[in-house]
């Protein structure tokens, strides 16, 4: 069984001031698709905390990491910056499709700065922190995740 991790990036959720609404949506969708996925990890905003959490997830051997939150333009929204420190190769087409789909659903969807890329044997994708964005984004991620994971493991095209 393939393994995934969801990381929610939110100062308020990490401080216990707000329940994590988006992480559980991602976890449920990944589990329904047959991925082994523990409950979401909640971390504070900021590039440093994102980088640490992603490096820990990659070191644990998961094949897919989905982050939720921290992709906007608020001063503490630094998920893409932390992710950029970890990934070795970007997959801009995946991030572009997520933005395209998000903007089609809600104009503010074009403001997400999320990135997608690979490091070692792991695919990392940033999603916005809204449950609706996770609900529409996870199927897009899943449409290519298996192929990416196979390719990273040396599979044929």
């Amino acid at each position: 069984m393939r393994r995934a991790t969801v990381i929610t990036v939110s100062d308020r959720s990490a401080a216990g001031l707000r329940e994590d609404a988006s992480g559980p949506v991602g976890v449920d969708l990944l589990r329904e698709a047959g991925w082994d996925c523990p409950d979401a990890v909640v971390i504070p905003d900021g590039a440093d905390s994102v980088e640490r959490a992603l490096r820990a997830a990659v070191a644990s051997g998961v094949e897919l990491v989905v982050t939720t939150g921290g992709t906007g333009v608020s001063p503490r929204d630094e998920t893409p910056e932390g992710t950029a420190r970890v990934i070795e190769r970007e997959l801009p087409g995946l991030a572009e499709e997520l933005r395209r789909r998000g903007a089609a659903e809600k104009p503010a969807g074009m403001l997400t700065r999320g990135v997608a890329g690979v490091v070692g044997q792991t695919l990392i994708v940033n999603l916005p922190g809204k449950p609706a964005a996770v609900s529409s984004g996870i199927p897009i991620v899943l449409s290519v995740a298996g192929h990416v994971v196979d390719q990273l493991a040396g599979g044929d095209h």
Side-chain angles (χ1 to χ4, degrees):
M1 181 178 283
R2 293 188 167 152
R3 295 180 26 202
T5 294
V6 174
I7 300 170
T8 298
V9 184
S10 167
D11 283 336
R12 287 178 283 190
S13 294
L17 302 173
R18 179 178 68 188
E19 186 175 339
D20 174 19
S22 60
V25 171
V27 168
D28 288 345
L29 291 170
L30 289 167
R31 288 175 180 167
E32 288 171 16
W35 289 73
D36 178 18
C37 186
D39 291 342
V41 175
V42 180
I43 64 168
D45 284 288
D48 292 340
S49 64
V50 170
E51 178 183 6
R52 279 191 302 274
L54 290 175
R55 291 196 187 282
V58 170
S60 77
V62 298
E63 295 143 312
L64 172 62
V65 180
V66 175
T67 68
T68 72
T71 63
V73 296
S74 296
R76 297 265 306 142
D77 287 340
E78 297 178 340
T79 298
E81 289 78 8
T83 302
R85 295 177 186 175
V86 176
I87 61 175
E88 296 168 339
R89 293 181 288 165
E90 271 195 70
L91 298 174
L94 180 51
E96 291 163 8
E97 177 60 14
L98 289 163
R99 262 186 289 284
R100 187 194 68 75
R101 187 77 56 93
E105 294 172 3
K106 182 178 179 181
M110 72 180 86
L111 299 177
T112 182
R113 301 177 314 107
V115 298
V118 296
V119 56
Q121 304 277 308
T122 305
L123 169 63
I124 299 173
V125 181
N126 300 152
L127 295 178
K130 300 289 184 193
V134 175
S135 291
S136 64
I138 291 287
I140 295 167
V141 173
L142 289 172
S143 73
V144 295
H147 180 69
V148 171
V149 168
D150 288 345
Q151 292 293 294
L152 292 173
D156 199 6
H157 291 277

